[in-house]
Amino acid sequence: MSGLPASCIVLFPLLLAFAWMFHTHAPEPYMDEPFHVPQTQRYCSGLFHRWDPKITTFPGLYIIGTTHARTLQLLGSVCLPDQYLPLVQGCNTTLLRSCNLVLGVICFVLLRNVYKLLHPLATSAVSTEMACLVVLFPLHFFFHFLYYTDVGSLTFVMASYLACSKHRYKVSALLAGWAVLFRQTNAVWVCFIIGMLVLKRCLKTKSDKPIPEALPQQLMFATERAWHLKWVLLVDLWALILVPLVFAAFVMWNGGIVLGDKAAHTPVKHLMQPLYFVLFTAIALAPFHFSPARLREALIGLQQALHRQPLQTSVKLLSITAILGLLVNKFTMVHPYLVADNRHYTFYIWKDIFARSPAARYALIPLYAYSGWSIWNSVMVQQSKLCALLMTLCTIVTLVPAWLIEFRYFTIPFAMVVLHMPPASASQLRLIIAAYALTNAATVYIFLLRPFRWPDHSIARFIW
């Protein structure tokens, strides 16, 4: 057996085995779960009017979680032996966590199909492997086993993207609405989905004019074509466009994007966040972005540019270095939670790298520049420059307002990069997936079996 069915047959038992370990060793709600679980339990009890003011997200997770729990309770009452009935009673934590197992398998199927649509020449095996890469990405994989919004958020974004790519625009709008109900910033990725369809129409519509190569001219060409096709696009996409418009109206009415505790989630201009993202993504895909061939390509390209236009290239390099240095100097922000909560890996990364010496922050500038170049060019191999620009803008809009450095915020931009880049080689994929598997095993082991106690004797666990 091969292909998608076999992959699902392997994936679901794997997720189930890890979920059982979480049920056995960490059954109590942890970190954000003490907010998410009780709120869903209120929904399970029909108390839809009761809302925890500390919760900042829309109720998408709680609606889906309640539906999932009720469905399993109904099935369990018919199919399960009496000794296993407690597992599906009372909307308990384990039952609610299992919602992400179902969403995770659905997400894998969606990722595979989206990749196949974006890369028609890719084989089914390659599409499956690239989908596996995203599913096993440690920031995504770990949260299959906690009752968080992460897995559902990515699942509904991918579902909307796939439906839009298949010209099911009203279905895409409905799924986009659910994506925003899981996480508000997904409204930005709905705009990305709309933008990608518009670009596809404008850059592939028959025209007497050839599509220009340079980015500014390509932007002008696409804008002109979009204006020409405006009524056709509006008729097709009105329902999808309505989603970010309704969300924008909510933001104006609410005075911000979050519900509840606005004080801890004040938008800022954290311009270092995109730099952290490109470096994190390049490292997460290191066998691709830091392969000898990739490094050689960058070096040869730089040498050729210096040879052809020495002055112009030198000015560009100095300008990029100066801009990145300015960002490091003026926009390195430290959220109080980052340095106060030693349960997160980011606490130790910040303490041992960024906070050790101011010089350490500046020493990363060449890596920021290289990582951004490598990711940009990898996306442009099979996508347009405007696609790369749109993805960059959406990533910036999503990440920059966030004061806190939390790697979970990188999951959807990371998935978009992987989906739009050309397939890695077989050896690179094996190395990446092996590294992810080891990282997942280590982080799950540390979380479950290496807890520690805080001064108040409460149990704490290491988490992303």
Side-chain angles (χ1 to χ4, degrees), residues 65-333:
T66 299
T67 304
H68 170 79
R70 291 303 189 199
T71 301
L72 287 189
Q73 287 169 354
L74 180 62
L75 293 174
S77 64
V78 176
C79 304
L80 286 179
D82 291 345
Q83 63 267 32
Y84 293 112
L85 286 179
L87 289 175
V88 295
Q89 290 177 345
C91 288
N92 60 74
T93 303
T94 297
L95 183 63
L96 295 178
R97 285 174 175 175
S98 69
C99 177
N100 281 331
L101 305 184
V102 178
L103 290 172
V105 175
I106 295 172
C107 189
F108 166 73
V109 176
L110 294 169
L111 287 163
R112 180 184 181 275
N113 289 338
V114 169
Y115 193 87
K116 184 63 178 173
L117 277 175
L118 291 171
H119 305 270
L121 299 180
T123 65
S124 295
V126 167
S127 300
T128 300
E129 289 166 352
M130 295 300 282
C132 283
L133 190 153
V134 177
V135 169
L136 294 176
F137 177 52
L139 270 298
H140 179 65
F141 183 82
F142 186 88
F143 290 99
H144 282 85
F145 315 111
L146 296 177
Y147 191 55
Y148 272 51
T149 60
D150 298 65
V151 176
S153 173
L154 180 60
T155 300
F156 280 104
V157 169
M158 289 298 109
S160 179
Y161 197 7
L162 182 63
C164 186
S165 299
K166 291 189 171 184
H167 314 296
R168 304 290 300 277
Y169 304 122
K170 292 183 177 62
V171 173
S172 178
L174 178 62
L175 294 166
W178 275 105
V180 176
L181 285 176
F182 264 77
R183 184 171 291 171
Q184 288 95 314
T185 52
N186 285 342
V188 177
W189 295 108
V190 177
C191 294
F192 174 80
I193 292 168
I194 296 169
M196 285 296 292
L197 180 72
V198 172
L199 289 179
K200 184 178 179 181
R201 293 273 189 94
C202 293
L203 297 180
K204 290 190 177 181
T205 300
K206 293 181 180 179
S207 173
D208 296 334
K209 299 179 181 179
I211 298 173
E213 290 293 326
L215 181 58
Q217 287 74 28
Q218 200 175 97
L219 179 59
M220 291 179 63
F221 177 88
T223 303
E224 180 184 330
R225 293 299 302 157
W227 179 254
H228 179 72
L229 296 170
K230 57 184 180 296
W231 298 118
V232 176
L233 292 170
L234 189 60
V235 167
D236 285 343
L237 298 177
W238 67 268
L240 202 52
I241 294 170
L242 202 58
V243 174
L245 287 180
V246 169
F247 178 72
F250 163 80
V251 172
M252 294 179 64
W253 171 80
N254 186 55
I257 69 168
V258 299
L259 302 175
D261 189 8
K262 295 185 179 70
H265 297 81
T266 305
V268 297
K269 296 176 182 177
H270 196 169
L271 297 179
M272 284 299 295
Q273 286 275 30
L275 300 184
Y276 299 144
F277 167 73
V278 294
L279 179 57
F280 181 89
T281 299
I283 292 172
L285 300 170
F288 180 87
H289 289 292
F290 291 98
S291 67
R294 192 73 172 170
L295 294 170
R296 188 165 54 251
E297 178 188 349
L299 183 59
I300 292 172
L302 180 59
Q303 289 174 338
Q304 291 175 344
L306 285 168
H307 179 72
R308 288 194 307 266
Q309 299 175 312
L311 180 59
Q312 185 178 354
T313 303
S314 298
V315 170
K316 284 182 180 179
L317 288 174
L318 289 173
S319 300
I320 291 170
T321 303
I323 291 170
L324 294 180
L326 180 66
L327 292 177
V328 171
N329 184 53
K330 297 294 186 181
F331 295 97
T332 297
M333 298 181 177

